[in-house]
Amino acid sequence: MRKGFSLMELIVAITAVVIISGGSLIYLNNFNSRQKLEKAKNEVISSMKLAQSYAKTRQLPIGSPDKSLEYVQVQISGTNLVAGANGIGSTFFSKKIAESNEISLDLSPSPLYFWNGNGKLTDMNGVVFGDGETATMTITLKADVDDSRRVTINSLGQILNYD
């Protein structure tokens, strides 16, 4: 009667553990990358809602030389989402969406304008988007897992769907 494991049994057991561990590490890495993408998407959504809120309440940035707010302009600057009053100089916020260059942002059309008082999407002259017209922000993860999320905003400024 033996009281131990043979060398072959140990090799098979260790190989099985290594294979399972390797698969779980790959899954965990993909999971972490997708979490970064979800965090960036949530940052974009909250920033868009904040910019629209500024437009609805006709707030001007602190220290703004402007006398009144016509619109809030939202645009992309690298990995930052920037919202400014009347499109010149005065900035409400510049929100860094990603800590590194592993996430890219694309806004179509760019820039976006939320009109004062109602927060609807408009062009620079205040012409409201028509029914069915939307703006889209695409957040793309370039590292590890090639994946993206899309945030769609309708002409009323409402976030319709995001994936």
Side-chain angles (χ1 to χ4, degrees):
M1 187 156 280
R2 291 184 341 196
K3 288 195 172 191
F5 296 104
S6 70
L7 180 61
M8 187 56 77
E9 290 171 332
L10 288 174
I11 290 174
V12 168
I14 291 172
T15 302
V17 168
V18 167
I19 290 172
I20 291 170
S21 298
S24 64
L25 287 175
I26 291 170
Y27 174 79
L28 183 61
N29 191 27
N30 290 346
F31 177 77
N32 288 338
S33 296
R34 286 195 174 92
Q35 288 299 99
K36 288 178 189 175
L37 187 60
E38 287 297 316
K39 179 183 176 197
K41 179 193 74 170
N42 290 334
E43 289 288 333
V44 165
I45 290 170
S46 67
S47 296
M48 290 294 185
K49 287 180 179 180
L50 181 59
Q52 185 188 36
S53 175
Y54 284 132
K56 284 181 175 180
T57 58
R58 296 185 171 123
Q59 293 182 40
L60 285 168
I62 296 173
S64 173
D66 297 327
K67 300 295 181 208
S68 65
L69 179 72
E70 290 182 38
Y71 57 85
V72 174
Q73 176 182 329
V74 178
Q75 61 188 9
I76 297 171
S77 175
T79 57
N80 289 348
L81 203 56
V82 181
N86 302 332
I88 51 170
S90 301
T91 302
F92 287 106
F93 62 82
S94 178
K95 181 86 123 185
K96 189 165 192 73
I97 301 299
E99 292 301 321
S100 64
N101 291 333
E102 61 189 14
I103 291 181
S104 66
L105 303 173
D106 181 48
L107 181 60
S108 176
S110 181
L112 284 183
Y113 302 96
F114 291 103
W115 203 251
N116 74 11
N118 59 21
K120 293 181 180 179
L121 284 180
T122 66
D123 65 10
M124 190 173 170
N125 299 317
V127 178
V128 178
F129 280 29
D131 288 340
E133 288 186 277
T134 61
T136 305
M137 172 71 80
T138 306
I139 306 111
T140 306
L141 181 67
K142 299 184 288 186
D144 300 330
V145 179
D146 194 21
D147 200 2
S148 65
R149 297 289 183 268
R150 186 169 299 157
V151 176
T152 304
I153 305 164
N154 71 4
S155 61
L156 299 175
Q158 299 168 324
I159 295 175
L160 293 177
N161 63 335
Y162 44 92
D163 45 27

